[in-house]
Amino acid sequence: MARGLSREQSKEKNLKKQGGNKGNTEGLTPQARAERDAAAMAAKKAAKDAQKAELAASSAEGAAAVAEMEKRKAAQRQAKNDRKLDNFNPQLAKAAKNAGKK
């Protein structure tokens, strides 16, 4: 008797699994999606650049703050490149670090 209930539950579970598209639900091609995302990122970058320019033009403190942000970002990029080298070839990274100390 329990077999029938189990069968019904299994059917319902499988119907739930099969229903619904989990992939591209927007109906866009990969190229169209890439163009849309690129446009969104360009708009975001333009807004951020305008915000930085406004802060830099506001006062000397604002210009110093922008310079500090740029310096911090440069340090982050350098650290990321160093980690990439460490992950790619740890022995080469260790040799480069030791050569820098001497």
Side-chain angles (χ1 to χ4, degrees):
M1 303 304 165
R3 237 184 217 172
L5 178 62
S6 177
R7 187 178 309 126
E8 293 288 325
Q9 289 174 341
S10 293
K11 280 183 182 180
E12 289 176 13
K13 186 176 177 183
N14 285 333
L15 285 175
K16 281 184 184 178
K17 280 185 186 178
Q18 291 172 1
N21 183 3
K22 292 193 170 121
N24 181 9
T25 58
E26 299 166 333
L28 295 175
T29 64
Q31 184 179 7
R33 189 178 315 112
E35 290 172 1
R36 181 200 62 195
D37 293 347
M41 292 304 291
K44 188 176 178 182
K45 182 173 178 8
K48 189 70 170 176
D49 288 344
Q51 184 183 17
K52 279 185 187 178
E54 181 182 331
L55 181 61
S58 66
S59 66
E61 291 175 0
V66 170
E68 180 63 32
M69 283 191 287
E70 292 297 325
K71 183 180 176 184
R72 186 174 48 86
K73 284 288 186 181
Q76 287 176 342
R77 283 191 295 271
Q78 182 62 40
K80 182 179 178 183
N81 286 338
D82 291 345
R83 284 192 309 271
K84 190 187 317 181
L85 178 64
D86 288 348
N87 291 336
F88 178 70
N89 190 340
Q91 291 177 339
L92 185 61
K94 187 175 181 181
K97 191 181 289 185
N98 289 338
K101 287 182 181 180
K102 291 180 181 179

